[in-house]
Amino acid sequence: MVSSIAPGWVGETLRGSGASVGPFTTTETVVTSFTFTAVGVARYRVIAHQHVRSSVAGDTVQLRLRREAGGTLTTAGTQFDTINQGCLTTNLVAVLLGTFTNVSGQVTVGVTAARLSGTGNITMDGFSTAASKLLVERC
């Protein structure tokens, strides 16, 4: 299907200085989200660039890219990308990328995270030198 909607930038969210999320462990947690109005014939690409760390080296964190109708993202939202990432006690970058189409109206996209294995506390960082980003574009 070819969309008559022009491709382009929809928006972004940036978790910068003083905006870390956590710590959390095995409970899946919404760590970032962005709400916009989708047009059903358009395809959307979502890129999440997240800085992750654990209090214990060797943990594994699971990050999920999700979308949900309306203005609030929950852990029940439709998953459209996932990554299991080994976590260090220093900043580690995880990137998720997904696309979706055939969604109209207000939609919220975002990232959820949980510790998949290990014993540490996970934090999604938001520092001026390690900002976490969520980018949305129409493609």
Side-chain angles (χ1 to χ4, degrees):
M1 176 192 319
V2 176
S3 172
S4 62
I5 305 298
W9 194 251
V10 174
E12 68 181 298
T13 185
L14 175 68
R15 190 171 54 252
S17 186
S20 296
V21 177
F24 53 88
T25 56
T26 58
T27 300
E28 189 174 3
T29 303
V30 175
V31 295
T32 192
S33 64
F34 177 75
T35 302
F36 66 100
T37 301
V39 178
V41 297
R43 174 175 297 279
Y44 295 92
R45 177 176 31 237
V46 181
I47 303 166
H49 179 269
Q50 304 291 296
H51 287 266
V52 154
R53 67 181 157 92
S54 176
S55 62
V56 176
D59 282 356
T60 299
V61 65
Q62 183 172 66
L63 304 166
R64 299 174 191 235
L65 201 52
R66 294 187 178 274
R67 67 176 167 82
E68 193 159 356
T72 304
L73 184 69
T74 69
T75 58
T78 301
Q79 175 185 305
F80 60 106
D81 192 24
T82 188
I83 187 172
N84 297 336
Q85 182 72 53
C87 211
L88 305 172
T89 56
T90 57
N91 259 347
L92 171 68
V93 175
V95 178
L96 294 99
L97 171 67
T99 63
F100 63 92
T101 190
N102 296 326
V103 175
S104 292
Q106 190 178 49
V107 61
T108 300
V109 296
V111 177
T112 63
R115 189 188 69 219
L116 193 60
S117 66
T119 60
N121 294 309
I122 306 298
T123 301
M124 300 302 289
D125 283 329
F127 300 124
S128 59
T129 57
S132 291
K133 303 168 188 84
L134 181 70
L135 315 169
V136 180
E137 59 186 343
R138 202 172 30 256
C139 46

